[in-house]
């Protein structure tokens, strides 16, 4: 369903109370209720810290948060996907790690998520100063629409006398002094020193081989995108690094959506790829590196004469060729999931770690809790992992072994690989020769990368803000096996025909952009594929009739929707346009009496 015309009168629904067993963060210890926000425009950001799209939205909201600080309050409602994300301390860590400067409600049991009928991460809900829900947006690209709505609500409630200006309830936590703060990745330099991405402080740190003594810091420590010498360069949450053959270092500057190169000899940093803007659907996927947008590059590796990029933000692998100064998409379709096959047809889910050997590029595919690899012919294969919804800590044969959101992978001299099994706080090992997965070390706090130093392996313990040196043991640890599934309740749907409707209402002052053909896109698939007997595939309508197989009683519907809207001003030859996009994974159970209609809100309210 799409309707680009403005609503004659804004629909309003009374907002449910905000309840979360984990309590409130960033409020100075104060518990808040909806009544505390009366008179302010409240934006609820339903997020979970594993989700790259949620991190994109945090960045999209920063400007709005700053500009309307006296009228708008953003509240993050943390709603976990993985078991680890229900751990309160992990939420506390994530709030600091990603620079969240607004109150956060920790809702480990998804109480408020269910009250607001949320179906996807991220989802934004706008509540007016009188306590009514007036809009809901899923996915990314809604900052412009929110800014327009906020301006409308400010004017409307100023006139009614129901707007209350003033300071919000945000209270920043006390800063903590440590050499590193949520470090991301590490690299051994030619000098034998260690280079670490000090992610939360927006710097690179060079350490002596002891992993503790600071040699120098690269970057001013201020979030930004600036080239130059060490004290002037700026990064934004940098992550992975790899060495070029000439000794210079490529850095995945994640939140700047850029690749930077740092020269250890001169200390200078330069930008070599990315525009500083985030890649969105319809953008170029190849070309001169400084003219093509990237999306949250998380790790980089030198393989087959190019820099390979784990492009977490669009679930793909890209390459950067320093010789030609070009980038291009190399594997993945931008659809999120676990599908093997030729590079152009494979699906990834937030690839976050890379390790190169002569015959394989290993990939830590975090959202599918999987270890994947690319062979020199471009085929993508899976060693460990089954998909978006199954995870845990189970050793043994790779076909039944389980990981939980791994962020790092390291090639070992014997042909096996070490996996930083981040949400299991463990270092795991996969041996392609035996096909076995074992546990090497536990009690590591959110390990995100590891490098070999002599006979030791140095692990980046991100949530302990340090590097930890381990001797690889001869014997594997014995760990009690656990298996989990994502905690969301399945939606009951009736067998037979299911009407899927993606609700999209163009923001005020905009219309669907049809100048170059259809401005909407809908892609539907299912796990298992047999769940759908009709309705899978790509189309341009935002509604579709799906036919469910009565012999398949449960599964997941994968829905990806995109809509482009432009300023509706006939006098403007070059109107500003905005892409709204979201992926849903909707667990369903097929049963008599279930729903015959499945509405998914991209923007607006379901009438």
């Amino acid at each position: 369903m799409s309707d680009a015309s403005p609503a004659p009168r804004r629909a309003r629904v009374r907002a449910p109370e905000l309840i979360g067993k984990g309590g409130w963060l960033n409020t100075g210890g104060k518990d808040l209720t909806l009544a505390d926000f009366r008179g302010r425009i409240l934006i609820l950001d339903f997020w979970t810290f594993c989700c790259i799209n949620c991190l994109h939205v945090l960045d999209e909201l920063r400007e709005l948060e700053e500009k309307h600080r006296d009228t708008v309050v953003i509240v993050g409602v943390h709603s976990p996907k993985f078991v680890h994300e229900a751990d309160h301390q992990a939420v506390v860590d994530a709030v600091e790690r990603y620079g969240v400067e607004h109150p956060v409600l920790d809702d480990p049991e998804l109480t408020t998520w269910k009250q607001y009928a949320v179906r996807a991460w991220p989802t934004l809900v706008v509540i007016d100063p009188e306590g009514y829900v007036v809009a809901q947006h899923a996915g990314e690209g809604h900052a412009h629409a929110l800014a327009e709505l906020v301006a409308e609500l400010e004017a409307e409630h100023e006139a009614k006398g129901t707007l209350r200006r003033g300071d919000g309830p945000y209270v920043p936590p006390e800063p903590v002094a440590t050499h590193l703060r949520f470090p991301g990745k590490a690299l051994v330099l030619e000098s034998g020193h260690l280079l670490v991405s000090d992610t939360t402080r927006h710097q690179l740190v060079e350490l002596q081989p002891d992993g503790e003594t600071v040699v120098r810091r690269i970057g001013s420590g201020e979030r930004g995108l600036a080239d130059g010498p060490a004290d002037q360069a700026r990064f934004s949450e940098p992550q992975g690094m790899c060495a070029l053959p000439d000794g210079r270092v490529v850095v995945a500057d994640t939140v700047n959506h850029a690749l930077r190169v740092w020269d250890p000899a001169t200390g200078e940093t330069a930008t070599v790829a990315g525009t500083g803007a985030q890649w969105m659907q319809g953008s170029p996927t190849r070309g001169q590196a400084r003219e093509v947008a990237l999306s949250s590059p998380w790790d980089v590796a030198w393989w087959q004469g190019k820099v390979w990029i784990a492009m977490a933000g669009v679930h793909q692998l890209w390459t950067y060729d320093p010789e030609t100064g070009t980038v291009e998409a190399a594997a993945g379709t931008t659809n999120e999931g676990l599908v093997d096959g030729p590079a152009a047809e494979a699906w990834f889910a937030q690839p976050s770690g890379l390790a190169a050997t002569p015959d394989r590029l290993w990939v830590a595919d975090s959202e599918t809790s999987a270890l994947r690899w690319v062979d020199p012919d471009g085929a993508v294969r899976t060693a460990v992992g089954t998909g978006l919804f199954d995870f845990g800590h189970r050793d043994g044969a790779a076909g039944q072994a389980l990981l939980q959101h791994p962020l790092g992978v390291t090639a070992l001299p014997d042909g096996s690989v070490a996996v930083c099994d981040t949400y299991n706080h463990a270092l795991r090992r996969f041996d392609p020769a035996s096909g076995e997965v074992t546990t090497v070390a536990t009690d590591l706090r959110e390990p995100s990368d590891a490098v070999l130093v002599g006979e030791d392996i140095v692990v980046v313990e991100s949530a302990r803000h340090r590097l930890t040196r381990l001797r690889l043991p001869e014997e594997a640890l014995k760990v009690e096996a656990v298996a989990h599934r994502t905690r969301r309740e399945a939606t009951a749907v009736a067998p037979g025909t299911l009407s899927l409707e993606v609700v999209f209402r163009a923001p005020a002052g905009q219309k669907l952009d049809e100048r170059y053909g259809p401005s909407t896109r809908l892609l539907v698939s299912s796990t298992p594929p047999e769940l759908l007997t009709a309705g899978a595939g790509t189309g341009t309508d935002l509604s579709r009739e799906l036919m469910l197989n009565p012999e398949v009683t449960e599964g997941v519907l994968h829905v990806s929707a995109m809509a482009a809207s432009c300023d509706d001003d006939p006098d403007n030859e070059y109107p500003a346009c905005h892409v709204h996009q979201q992926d849903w994974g909707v667990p369903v159970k097929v049963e008599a009496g279930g729903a015959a209609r499945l509405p998914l809100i991209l923007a607006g309210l379901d009438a």
Side-chain angles (χ1 to χ4, degrees):
M1 178 180 87
S2 69
D3 177 4
S5 60
R9 186 171 179 280
R10 189 180 293 117
R12 301 201 308 171
V13 180
R14 177 64 75 181
E17 189 53 84
L18 304 177
I19 301 165
K21 193 174 180 181
W24 288 85
L25 306 175
N26 283 356
T27 63
K30 182 181 178 184
D31 288 340
L32 301 174
T33 67
L34 267 181
D36 294 310
F37 303 104
R38 191 60 56 86
R40 311 298 287 274
I41 299 162
L42 177 61
I43 300 176
L44 302 182
D45 175 17
F46 288 87
W47 70 299
T48 188
F49 64 77
C50 71
C51 155
I52 193 70
N53 312 89
C54 299
L55 303 186
H56 290 166
V57 167
L58 282 177
D59 296 314
E60 284 180 7
L61 292 175
R62 289 186 205 280
E63 186 179 341
L64 183 78
E65 201 166 13
E66 189 58 44
K67 186 175 177 183
H68 299 273
R69 199 166 279 285
D70 66 335
T71 58
V72 173
V73 177
I74 295 173
V75 166
V77 182
H78 189 269
S79 316
K81 171 187 173 182
F82 289 98
V83 168
H84 169 59
E85 292 173 308
D87 172 7
H88 180 70
Q89 184 57 47
V91 181
V92 172
D93 288 345
V95 166
E96 182 189 347
R97 181 195 297 268
Y98 297 117
V100 179
E101 295 184 353
H102 49 246
V104 172
L105 176 65
D106 180 12
D107 182 19
E109 296 178 348
L110 302 181
T111 305
T112 296
W113 165 286
K114 292 171 190 167
Q115 285 280 84
Y116 280 82
V118 174
R119 289 188 184 274
W121 297 278
T123 290
L124 298 166
V125 175
V126 182
I127 299 171
D128 73 12
E130 294 177 285
Y132 289 90
V133 174
V134 293
Q136 184 170 326
H137 301 267
E140 303 177 47
H142 300 294
H144 178 79
L146 287 173
E148 295 279 327
L149 179 56
V150 163
E152 278 181 36
L153 290 171
E154 283 178 343
E156 180 182 324
H157 289 275
E158 192 96 77
K160 288 174 71 174
T162 47
L163 187 70
R164 177 170 58 85
R165 294 179 182 270
D167 291 335
Y170 169 65
V171 178
E174 289 293 319
V176 185
T178 51
H179 281 320
L180 301 171
R181 204 73 195 156
F182 298 104
K185 304 283 187 182
L187 175 70
V188 181
L189 297 172
E190 288 179 351
S191 63
H193 288 178
L194 293 161
L195 188 66
V196 183
S197 54
D198 197 15
T199 304
T200 297
R201 292 207 179 114
H202 315 298
Q203 291 179 319
L204 310 179
V205 181
E206 185 178 346
L207 301 170
Q208 287 187 4
D210 62 9
E212 295 180 6
T213 307
V214 176
V215 177
R216 56 179 160 170
R217 292 180 177 272
I218 300 99
S220 69
E222 297 286 318
R223 185 193 292 272
L225 178 56
D227 292 338
D231 61 341
Q232 295 174 24
R234 289 189 175 194
F235 299 89
S236 189
E237 299 180 29
Q239 286 282 348
M241 300 160 293
C242 73
L244 293 171
D246 63 11
R248 294 180 302 149
V249 174
V250 178
V251 182
D253 194 5
T254 305
V255 176
N256 277 328
H257 310 296
L259 294 190
R260 319 290 293 282
V261 165
W262 173 66
D263 189 336
T266 65
E268 294 276 328
T269 297
T271 303
V272 295
T275 64
Q278 183 188 333
W279 187 97
M280 299 296 273
Q281 288 290 352
S283 303
T285 55
R286 63 189 303 170
Q288 288 301 306
R290 291 299 308 275
E291 298 170 10
V292 177
L294 309 180
S295 182
S296 297
W298 207 275
D299 202 6
V300 282
W302 181 257
W303 191 54
Q304 294 188 319
K306 293 180 181 178
V307 175
W308 286 68
I309 309 164
M311 202 73 80
V314 284
H315 318 299
Q316 288 181 308
L317 304 180
W318 285 42
T319 58
Y320 162 63
D321 186 343
E323 286 286 313
T324 60
T326 56
V327 292
E328 66 177 316
T333 63
T334 77
N335 295 319
E336 185 180 13
L338 192 152
V339 176
D340 288 343
E345 299 170 17
W347 293 22
F348 294 93
Q350 229 168 286
S352 302
L354 299 175
T357 66
D359 62 344
R360 289 186 184 187
L361 180 70
W362 292 98
V363 182
D365 202 28
S366 62
E367 279 291 285
T368 52
S369 298
L371 174 64
R372 321 275 297 275
W373 84 85
V374 185
D375 67 25
D377 297 326
V380 177
R381 307 180 193 282
T382 298
V384 183
T386 60
L388 285 165
F389 298 95
D390 292 288
F391 54 91
H393 190 150
R394 188 160 64 199
D395 288 333
Q400 56 86 55
L402 293 171
L403 308 168
Q404 186 180 181
H405 198 81
L407 290 178
V409 58
T410 307
L412 301 178
D414 65 358
S416 67
V417 288
V419 179
C420 286
D421 193 5
T422 310
Y423 287 3
N424 280 327
H425 308 302
L427 190 67
R428 312 285 291 283
R429 187 179 198 161
F430 169 66
D431 183 352
S434 67
E436 293 285 311
V437 175
T438 54
T439 297
V440 174
T442 56
D443 193 32
L444 300 165
R445 188 76 188 166
E446 291 194 22
S448 53
D449 197 22
V451 292
L452 289 173
V453 178
E455 295 186 0
D456 295 341
I457 189 162
V458 175
V459 179
V460 179
E461 272 199 273
S462 190
R464 281 201 180 110
H465 320 293
R466 71 185 191 193
L467 303 185
T468 299
R469 186 180 289 254
L470 303 172
R471 181 57 57 97
L472 283 170
E474 308 249 330
E475 296 285 316
L477 298 178
K478 291 282 189 284
V479 178
E480 187 174 342
V482 290
H484 300 291
R485 297 212 82 197
T486 297
R487 302 150 62 91
R488 284 180 295 160
E489 290 180 12
T491 299
V493 294
T497 303
L498 177 67
S499 294
L500 171 66
E501 294 185 21
V502 173
V503 177
F504 178 75
R505 182 179 290 277
Q510 292 188 18
K511 64 178 181 179
L512 290 174
D513 175 22
E514 307 283 2
R515 288 170 301 163
Y516 305 111
S519 62
T520 54
R521 189 189 74 159
L522 181 65
L523 184 146
V524 181
S525 63
S526 65
T527 304
E530 300 76 42
L531 175 64
L532 287 178
T533 58
T538 304
T540 56
D541 288 342
L542 290 181
S543 59
R544 190 178 301 176
E545 298 285 293
L546 308 181
M547 188 64 70
L548 300 175
N549 184 345
E551 295 178 12
V552 179
T553 57
E554 63 177 5
V556 178
L557 292 174
H558 305 284
V559 180
S560 178
M562 184 273 285
S565 60
C566 293
D567 293 346
D568 189 8
D569 180 356
D571 297 329
N572 186 352
E573 190 178 351
Y574 302 104
C577 296
H578 308 273
V579 176
H580 317 264
Q581 60 187 45
Q582 173 62 7
D583 297 333
W584 291 267
V586 184
V588 295
K589 53 186 177 185
V590 182
E591 56 186 41
R597 175 178 176 266
L598 178 61
L600 300 175
I601 296 176
L602 181 59
L605 291 174
D606 181 20

